[in-house]
Amino acid sequence: MSPIKKGHTLTGKQYWRSLDELAGTPEFEDWLHREFPQGASEWNNAWSRRSFLTLMGASLALAGLSGCRRPEEHIVPYVKKPEDMVPGNPLKYATAIPMGLHACGLLVESHEGRPTKIEGNLKHPANRGRTDARIQASVLDLYDPDRSTVPSRGGVRSDWTAFVSFWREQFVAFQATGGEGLAVLSETFSSPTMMRLRRAFEARFPNARWVAWDPISDENRYEAIRAVLGRVHQPVFHYDRAKVVLSLESDFLLTEPEAVTATLGFTSGRRIESEKDQMNRLYVVESLYTLTGANADHRLRINSSDVGAFALAVAGELQRQGLAIEGLNGLTVPTMTGRAAEWLAPLAKDLLRARGESLIVAGSGQPAAVHALVMAINGALGNLDRTITYVDNRDAAYPSTSGLTKLTADMAAGKVSALVMIGGNPVYNAPADLNFAAALSKVATSVHLSSRVDETSAATVWHIPRSHYLEMWGDARSLDGTLSVIQPLIEPLYQSVSEVELTALLASGESARGYDLVRETWAGLVTGNFEVGWQTALLNGILSDSALPSIPVNAAQVGIAQAMASHGWSLRPTATTNLEVVFHPCYTTGDGTRANNGWLHELPDPITKLSWDNVATFSPKTARELGVQNEDIVSIQLQGRELSIAAWIVPGQMDNAVGLSFGYGREKAGRVGNGVGVDTYRLRDSQNMYRAGSATVSNTGRRYELATTQDHGSMEGRPIILMASLDEYRENPDFITGASVIPEFMAESEKAKERDLVREYPSSWKEPDYSTGYQWGMSIDLTTCTGCQACTVACQAENNIPIVGKEQVRKGREMHWIRVDRYFTGDVEDPGMEHQPMPCQHCENAPCEQVCPVAATVHDTEGLNVMVYNRCIGTRYCSNNCPYKVRRFNFFNYTDEYPETIKMVQNPEVTVRSRGVMEKCTYCVQRINRGKQVAKLENRSIRDGEVTPACAQACPAEAIVFGNINDSESRVARVKRINRTYSLLGELNTQPRTTYLASIRNPNPEMKA
Amino acid sequence: MKNGRPVNSLVVDEDNLIPGNPTYESITESVAGIPEQKQTPKAWWALFLTAVSLAGLFFAEIGYLFYEGTGIWGLQIPVAWGFAIVNFVFWVGIGHAGTLISAILFLLRQRWRTSINRFAEAMTIFAVICALMFPTIHVGRVWFIYWTMPIPNQMDMWPNFRSGLVWDAFAVGTYFLCSLLFWYVGLVPDLATLRDRATGKIRKMLYGLFSLGWRGSNRQWRHYELAYLVLAGISTPLVLSVHSIVSTDFATSLVPGWHTTIFPPYFVAGAIFSGFAMVMTLSIIARSVYKLEHIITMKVLERMNIIMLVTGTMVGYAYGMEFFIAWYSGNQYEQFTFINRAFGPYAWAYWIMISCNVIAPQLFWSKKLRTTIPVMFVASIVINIGMWFERFVITMSLSRDFLPSSWDYYSPTIHDIALLVGSFGLFFSLFLLFLRFLPMVAMSEVKAILPQADPHHHTEQIHG
Amino acid sequence: MAEGERKIYGVLAEFRSTGDLLHAAEKMHGEGFRNWDVHSPFPVHGMDRAMGLGRSPLGFIVGIAGTTGLTLFALFLYWINVYDYPLVISGKPYYSFQAFVPPMFAITILSAALAAFFGMLALNKLPRLFHPLFASKEFEKVTNGGMFISIEASDPRFKHDETAKFLESIGATSVEIVRGEA
């Protein structure tokens, strides 16, 4: 497609022309190109706002061409048709976000054709309306002011038509040789259209090659499956069906691609209404402290390289307890020592008790051997086809490091004359030993499709701007094969194309429109009347019954031993004493593609609570031995490669383990991401993709300032997070009584009466009457909350919360309205971890209100503690007097330096706060009011669940419940009647409307903590 | 005096009023002579230029603050109040000694006060000016500061009179106005003296204007004396109320370490303590620059030292009592806060406070030390440092309150410090101008306590 | 002669000491003069009694002002908190008078202080920047060490020379005719 051509039919036309005119003048051109990719990396640093004036000028020009423009193709709104779109009323469109081999269904809120907020699509089985921080923040990438705006050739402005004609020549030339020397390097994908076009490409150029690769992937798992089953099948984990889950260093709750799906399933097995309910049990064996480990009922820290041996030992123990595991005989079962040894018997017993209802999952970082063994154990436990199913997804391009290795070698050898890279950023993140950059320089014709002129684009001949998924047509399958259309909400802001459109050009030599390409594919997928089916698919966001059938699998088809032998795999414990580097993806920046997203950079890591940096993590003991403290810069040597990075101590991490996260140290990410953190890919080689032993670490003596949002990790023995084991809870269902005050409405509830709970503090005067009308309240279940912080980013997106930057975060001025507190519990060397979301508690007796000299924060009749920005003069007294410290202050005018494009993501229904004003969680009052309007028009009262704050809506653990506590049948009222409900710091008689459900863990009584 | 005329030493002290046998004229001469000096002393210029440049820094910083926002300070969440509030409480406290000397000692007929009350009052006014600066500039949107006052407006909104900050605005505002009136009323007769002695036209005009045409007629003295008495009377409760109300900024909150009933008395004692220390510093400078040893006598200084010893010890008692109550309350948050004060991240500030405020004044048990100028000069400065840190320590209770997750460490920026230093510049500039242009001793009051001022002094025999 | 044309304001007599002044004042009072006054650099103890002056009404003025200020302010607070713009703040009653005591106190003090100051000025008819007495060179001493008695011509018992003589008789060291508009 050609945006220019399309532009003629659009309101944005004159904008395009105006830019062309502008761009025509050479000085604007250089200036634009100078200003945009580099510089201003401090745009979120309030100290130097002047430097943005120029920038805003430029963005302004771009904002023009990115005004309110609805795609010309006929897209279908989710709830209403576009024709009855009322200005001011946001519309929601169903689409999907492609996540490599996975995809989540979305409903995107669009204000006058401007997508502002992402929410999950309830109808999509993969995420059932839920999202995580990464998905929430993806809308910001759409408006990233550092996206490239036009194709460029050799760094010089060009345009799409020029590239099309250029490719035609190539196309003809390669047709002669059948594509000899032509290669495509793509990201992994699971998309019928992409696969159709890839096949067309491969048919057209039989001698060409197509390699799919991701820097972080489940490749090892697929390799194991290939070895055991003969061909790759996509495993689907059903955590909701599992009573006992054993994670072998799998962070399925956070960093694994299917985290949302997994969290939904896993927490559904942990949600308990009363002491009589059942809970699932999670065992985690890992080296670093992951969020999954933080949610474990039992966590064993162990060397990453010993996990395989441990798995084998478990298998051995299972056999000892009478479970026959096919093909295990060939293997010698290692003997465990210490806590690992204590674990085996009770763990195996527990797994056996839960045959067919247990689930063992190994992490992406574990070698194929471990995955193969895990398949065998799961098979023997009868979990296959129950808690794990396999689907045969023919539309998936699976990752292949070997493929990349070979490709790079051929490039270096000059055997590749043309390389087209569809996405990805190999120059930045390919294994260091491949030396991709050098190889790339040998390729005559290199093309890179990318959202920005990144490290790779800078090294290629052609750079083609890539469309954001919210501005392109496409399709994607989630892990279970459920198929969704990716429909755009807005015309491409710039001269960008989607991977589908580029691939089509590669395969056919003709430029085609994504819309037609996708419909063409779907013609073969939709049964019955195509238009009807297509409309329905767009409307629902999924193609009904498109989930792929699970194929029966028998792990015994191939003996594990043979698989091991044939691949030379081994599971021997390494008994490593030297330092072992363990790589892990960063939750926020992922593999580095999201590195220019301010929301994600500012989002603290759930474990370290560090924002704006990556670090090398050590256990306290190892840190002592190395003489390293927090913020010391350490030098890490690994196979002749060296890296200097700040150190951070994480209690509970395995001794002698060095945790390094990917995704930082970008040089060409943009003004936000450039130079943030350290590039750890430089240490990584294709042989040791996820861990490497025998590293040496030395303290350089230099220091590096890190920005943490939580300095103190201990609860100091205060009743902040109330905890109990399931057994303790059953013995004493009211264990929270006395530990904290029972909220008033509970005291009045039947349940409270029979348990004769009364408020401890009778009031000395008549308190306001909250017994009529809507009375809003919230309940947060600390048992199911995993601490993933999806709520934090959802809130940031919904409420226009500014990004303040590292300096300000370090000063303690982060603006998040809902933070997630992390506390360590128990032993200092090997502690447990608890998370607690902390929004405004909306106290009925709010301490913040009485101290405000100008009555800028007061109570409304529905029990909301409302913050009147216009009245606030900024004495900050309210924050001092808030025992929960949930109020945030605009110390500077944090928003006035926003580039125009970033301003487009702001929610028009929420005030953008100015300097000197206090702000805080409002329970998303704008949503409450919209709910009231709708209800009033329909002459009814708001239905339960009709109004949901952004945090509750996003929460993949469904831990946050919001509603009208005055309606005793509402979900929130019912949840609040659960006997685990307590008000935080209730003894202060603040009477919070936000209450917590005490955290219950389900440890195995037969296992020593 | 400067121009070499001998001055009969006069002693304003009930113990012995006679020696030196001063006359009304000699008093007028030695006091009014100072503002009338032709050439200003070098020392004055040296001090004034320093002070004025610091005052300049103060206003420059305020300008930058208004331009950038309160972010230029070290403030954050949880410590949303920093130097600005500490300085505010510090300066308000300084003021109290002035009112105490001029009002309470007046009511108690402590005649030795007459030699120092005038510039003690001046000090009060200048200190309160400095104090009022800080709560004004510390707000995020300073252009709306007037919203704290009940002024009818289009929003039809009124201030929240439950807030300690509004109480402050009223208490300190009242305090400032009363002190100003009290001071001015006292000045009127002396301004008249300057008017009648003035040679230059401008001086005559200005002094004439401000002396309101005072004729010293007894029909005027009659109302005048009552007015002065009344003002003294209503200033007296202010001495106790103002700092009590300031303390409620902290005491009415629920922050551990703030939420305590001991604050009002403890703040008042501290205020008088620091106030007297400041009067001491100033009188030592003034009497050495202007050779007023014969008016501000050692006896006066010694009395002030004794008051400092007493109040300092009261403050020390309060520190101890805070710990006891924290322990006795059984409230774990309170207990933690106080342990944390003495041994936590701000222990350094705490121990500076203890050594300056509790230990230093104990020197004054010794007669010798409390009558040695250098000792009391150093001590008075040390005490004010200590009292500043007291307020700092209290404010820093914020850094570790209920939820450990929000704990953080506050450290001031260069701008915080510049404003603190600058406020001293402002204070001393104003004070030096006062010394230069106004009578620093209440002449009419001093004359009134001379032996010959008593009508029955010479003329017993007439009555027979 | 020049003064001849100008109206006589009165007679100004200087005395040596506070003692003499006091006794002179007693005699003046005894003689029943009305429009006369005593001038001294500081208030002379017992002079009010000597001149037969009663107590100053300033006390009442201040008292009334204070109570009025308090009452009005209390009513004002009730009005804004209960009628004009009632707000639920920290779940407290609209009229939390306990919390309003500090500002009420401040307002009481303030109104009293202002009344004392302006009341004093009013009673003393100040500011009055010019007064015929200022015409006398001698009179400048009154703010330094001089003691004076002045009698206005408007006094019914004022007789040009007799009054001057009378003043000398009661111990005036010097007597001076002062001219000018009162």
Side-chain angles (χ1 to χ4, degrees), chain A residues 963-979:
Chain A
N964 175 7
I965 60 175
N966 220 16
D967 162 13
S968 62
E969 283 322 296
S970 70
R971 180 140 170 265
V972 68
R974 274 186 280 113
V975 170
K976 277 172 177 274
R977 280 198 293 271
I978 295 175
N979 52 11

Side-chain angles (χ1 to χ4, degrees), chain A residues 49 711 714 718 811 813 821 823 850-853 869-870 872-877 880-881 885 891 915, chain B residues 66-68 71 73 75-77 80-81 138 140-141 147 160 163 249 253-255 333 401-402 404-405 408:
Chain A
R49 52 171 61 95
D711 292 349
S714 155
R718 301 175 175 185
K811 271 187 184 294
R813 297 173 179 175
D821 292 343
Y823 294 106
Q850 78 197 47
V851 297
C852 176
Y869 304 129
N870 287 350
C872 178
I873 64 172
T875 65
R876 305 179 296 281
Y877 199 174
N880 290 346
N881 211 31
K885 289 287 172 288
F891 285 95
R915 165 191 135 192
Chain B
F66 288 179
Y67 180 68
E68 277 288 7
W73 292 341
L75 301 174
Q76 20 105 312
I77 310 295
W81 278 1
H138 101 293
R141 300 203 295 171
W147 284 353
N160 169 20
S163 166
D249 284 349
S253 80
L254 48 62
V255 179
Y333 303 108
D401 67 343
F402 294 96
S405 61
D408 209 339

Side-chain angles (χ1 to χ4, degrees), chain C residues 7 38 73 98 108 178:
Chain C
K7 190 164 173 298
V38 173
F73 190 67
Q98 302 89 335
T108 316
V178 184

Side-chain angles (χ1 to χ4, degrees), chain A residues 206-257:
Chain A
N207 304 334
R209 86 175 95 177
W210 185 299
V211 177
W213 183 77
D214 282 341
I216 300 160
S217 70
D218 288 341
E219 182 173 0
N220 294 350
R221 182 177 293 154
Y222 300 125
E223 198 181 336
I225 293 168
R226 189 183 286 106
V228 175
L229 303 180
R231 78 182 306 280
V232 177
H233 291 307
Q234 176 68 59
V236 184
F237 299 99
H238 304 278
Y239 292 93
D240 50 338
R241 302 178 192 165
K243 286 212 167 15
V244 176
V245 178
L246 169 61
S247 154
L248 300 171
E249 210 169 62
S250 164
D251 189 12
F252 61 86
L253 288 178
L254 193 71
T255 51
E256 303 266 328

